[in-house]
Amino acid sequence: MTYEFTIIVPVYNEQECLPQLFVQLKEYLSRASKKTKVLLVDDGSSDASPSMIREFCSKNEDFKYLIFEKNFGKGAALKAAFDHTDTPFLGYLDADLQTYPEDFEKLLPFLGDYDLVTGWRKERKDTIVKRISSKVGNGVRNVFTRDYMHDTGCPLKIIKTAYAKNIPMFKGLQRFLPAMVLLQNGRIKEVEIPHYPRLAGKSKYNFRNRFMGPLLDCFAYVWMKKSYINYKVADKDE
């Protein structure tokens, strides 16, 4: 059976989370509504994550990996995964398991009518600082992008691969996926999903990189929006 759906998982120093991540992904693949495979992208981890990923993938044929030579950032990890995806649909999941693979089933039914479906973590299970900084970051992005998403940064999304491959690479890419699909005249939708507390490892974010970085990225997005090339071929001579 041909794969229909690829789950992309960026990984950066998540050795404590990986064993449970592997368990949950395998369990989900066994009952997923679409034939699914997983692409793990290690973003230059300095812990045991790369070796754990290699070992696990060598024993599980539905799992593949990309290992970066150094840390390039989550945007680069996602772009590389988009470029290496060969299924009609792709999804994105963080390795920290604050969202669960099984919740892709809440998003998949909407792919007939929409080109990107994203989760909305309405009831956040984060620290107060993380919740405030995320709320401020979302507000700032909405001013620039006007995608009117409640939770642009939610790490559980499904995108039609054709749209994902047309998204240009830039730092902070993960914060603008809905807006970049809108630039292609695509349709987007939010769906409420559960959110879970981090059980292991450490968050890589703080107020500075949740607010200052995204603010600077917004100016890059404004430039890109004005310069973005979008076309569709009506006919061609073979």
Side-chain angles (χ1 to χ4, degrees), residues 27-232:
E27 289 180 351
Y28 173 65
L29 263 58
S30 70
R31 59 177 184 271
S33 59
K34 293 184 179 295
K35 179 62 174 174
T36 302
K37 62 181 176 179
V38 175
L39 178 57
L40 298 149
V41 186
D42 185 85
D43 184 23
S45 294
S46 57
D47 64 2
S49 295
S51 60
M52 294 171 70
I53 289 170
R54 288 188 179 99
E55 181 179 2
F56 181 80
C57 291
S58 69
K59 300 174 182 177
N60 295 273
E61 64 178 2
D62 295 327
F63 289 75
K64 304 298 180 184
Y65 64 81
L66 299 172
I67 306 291
F68 280 3
E69 62 180 7
K70 64 179 182 179
N71 179 240
F72 288 101
K74 185 179 285 186
L78 287 176
K79 179 58 176 172
F82 293 171
D83 291 343
H84 285 81
T85 296
D86 58 3
T87 55
F89 310 107
L90 61 84
Y92 156 41
L93 175 77
D94 270 357
D96 60 14
L97 286 178
Q98 289 198 257
T99 50
Y100 286 179
E102 64 191 41
D103 289 321
F104 281 120
E105 293 299 315
K106 294 181 170 64
L107 310 186
L108 284 168
F110 295 97
L111 276 177
D113 297 321
Y114 296 92
D115 304 300
L116 176 145
V117 187
T118 181
W120 173 15
R121 302 164 293 178
K122 193 172 183 179
E123 300 295 332
R124 297 290 293 267
K125 305 298 180 183
D126 291 320
T127 64
I128 185 66
V129 172
K130 197 172 180 180
R131 291 199 302 270
I132 291 174
S133 58
S134 292
K135 188 172 184 178
V136 171
N138 268 320
V140 170
R141 280 190 294 272
N142 274 326
V143 169
F144 285 85
T145 65
R146 299 186 183 276
D147 59 19
Y148 303 111
M149 294 284 100
H150 294 91
D151 190 8
T152 302
C154 179
L156 191 84
K157 291 179 171 64
I158 296 177
I159 314 172
K160 290 179 179 176
T161 302
Y163 283 82
K165 287 183 179 292
N166 282 332
I167 297 175
M169 180 177 175
F170 64 96
K171 187 176 181 180
L173 163 66
Q174 70 277 9
R175 304 182 183 105
F176 297 91
L177 294 178
M180 295 306 296
V181 170
L182 287 177
L183 280 184
Q184 300 176 58
N185 299 316
R187 300 186 66 199
I188 63 177
K189 182 176 178 61
E190 268 186 318
V191 177
E192 288 186 33
I193 61 167
H195 190 231
Y196 305 93
R198 176 183 268 272
L199 300 179
K202 296 181 179 179
S203 174
K204 311 304 184 296
Y205 297 100
N206 52 46
F207 186 82
R208 182 176 181 179
N209 61 24
R210 278 185 174 273
F211 178 69
M212 293 306 298
L215 178 61
L216 295 175
D217 293 340
C218 284
F219 291 105
Y221 169 79
V222 170
W223 174 86
M224 187 171 298
K225 183 177 180 180
K226 292 180 179 178
S227 307
Y228 187 74
I229 296 172
N230 188 33
Y231 68 89
K232 291 184 179 181

